[in-house]
Amino acid sequence: EPEVTQTPSHQVTQMGQEVILRCVPISNHLYFYWYRQILGQKVEFLVSFYNNEISEKSEIFDDQFSVERPDGSNFTLKIRSTKLEDSAMYFCASSVQGWNEQFFGPGTRLTVL
Amino acid sequence: GQQLNQSPQSMFIQEGEDVSMNCTSSSIFNTWLWYKQDPGEGPVLLIALYKAGELTSNGRLTAQFGITRKDSFLNISASIPSDVGIYFCAGPTSGTYKYIFGTGTRLKVLA
């Protein structure tokens, strides 16, 4: 069964460093998403992406964040200058349409020291 | 901003019991998704609902899309130890593809 994959599973970085989190969405899906989950809290929407552009973003998704689909399969989230409070699980998800079921990847645990 | 409130926040039940939980919003939703999350893993989709009043089952799980479109319910029948986890409702805010997640219901099953 097709699934969303994410790499790396765990990323440790120093405050102020740039990180890139990678995702491979399900191949026939057209909508892509990034979410964040701080330990013990609910899942929070960051951004949705369709047709090579951002369609929605939350207040969390400020200028430090960017997304890209560099080729036909990868979808990336870049954090330019990480802060301690960026430590969280980051999940990628994809869906066929923008209003229907989203399938999540296993997540990347980001630890900022 | 919009919020999805889930209740109960957590529950302990005996193996074999039925479980009910709900998700409510002050706004109308056109889609309700129910997910289960195990520790350290991504949410796994359980059931998707698209129409007010819709009742959908997936094995021992049944979910309903409330007729007011402001709530949804998830029932688990004859719970088993592997039902342990956090259950989240989610849906796109009206007119957007911006999904919000509920506060979660943590389920613990006592064998």
Side-chain angles (χ1 to χ4, degrees), chain A residues 4-9 21-23 32-39 41-47 67 75-77 88-94 102-110, chain B residues 36-44 88 101:
Chain A
V4 177
T5 59
Q6 290 186 243
T7 54
S9 56
L21 310 182
R22 291 183 166 79
C23 167
F32 315 117
Y33 312 84
W34 283 101
Y35 291 84
R36 178 182 84 173
Q37 187 177 34
I38 294 169
L39 186 64
Q41 298 186 22
K42 66 178 183 180
V43 176
E44 298 175 289
F45 173 88
L46 292 178
V47 67
V67 289
F75 180 50
T76 63
L77 174 70
M89 284 287 283
Y90 287 82
F91 294 107
C92 173
S94 68
Q102 294 184 14
F103 295 89
F104 281 71
T108 292
R109 179 175 299 284
L110 177 65
Chain B
K36 177 176 183 272
Q37 187 178 31
D38 292 330
E41 298 185 15
V44 174
F88 289 104
F101 272 67

Side-chain angles (χ1 to χ4, degrees), chain B residues 5-8 19-25 32-35 46-49 51-58 60-76 87-90 105:
Chain B
N5 295 307
Q6 289 186 243
S7 68
V19 174
S20 290
M21 60 188 80
N22 66 47
C23 180
T24 59
S25 169
W32 289 100
L33 305 175
W34 282 94
Y35 289 89
L46 300 173
I47 292 179
L49 302 161
K51 198 172 161 184
E54 180 182 354
L55 190 72
T56 297
S57 292
N58 177 7
R60 293 178 297 106
L61 277 61
T62 302
Q64 183 160 28
F65 193 139
I67 55 172
T68 66
R69 293 164 63 196
K70 293 184 178 180
D71 54 12
S72 180
F73 309 89
L74 177 70
N75 295 312
I76 306 172
Y87 292 79
F88 289 104
C89 58
T105 292

Side-chain angles (χ1 to χ4, degrees), chain A residues 52-76:
Chain A
N52 276 321
E53 58 182 32
I54 290 173
S55 48
E56 305 280 352
K57 60 183 181 178
S58 72
E59 310 74 44
I60 302 168
F61 194 89
D62 61 22
D63 292 344
Q64 292 299 313
F65 291 87
S66 62
V67 289
E68 196 178 27
R69 187 148 162 86
D71 53 43
S73 59
N74 289 284
F75 180 50
T76 63

Side-chain angles (χ1 to χ4, degrees), chain A residues 1 6 24 44 53 71 80 86 97-98 106 112:
Chain A
E1 188 169 320
Q6 290 186 243
V24 179
E44 298 175 289
E53 58 182 32
D71 53 43
R80 270 182 258 288
D86 292 328
Q97 301 286 350
V112 182

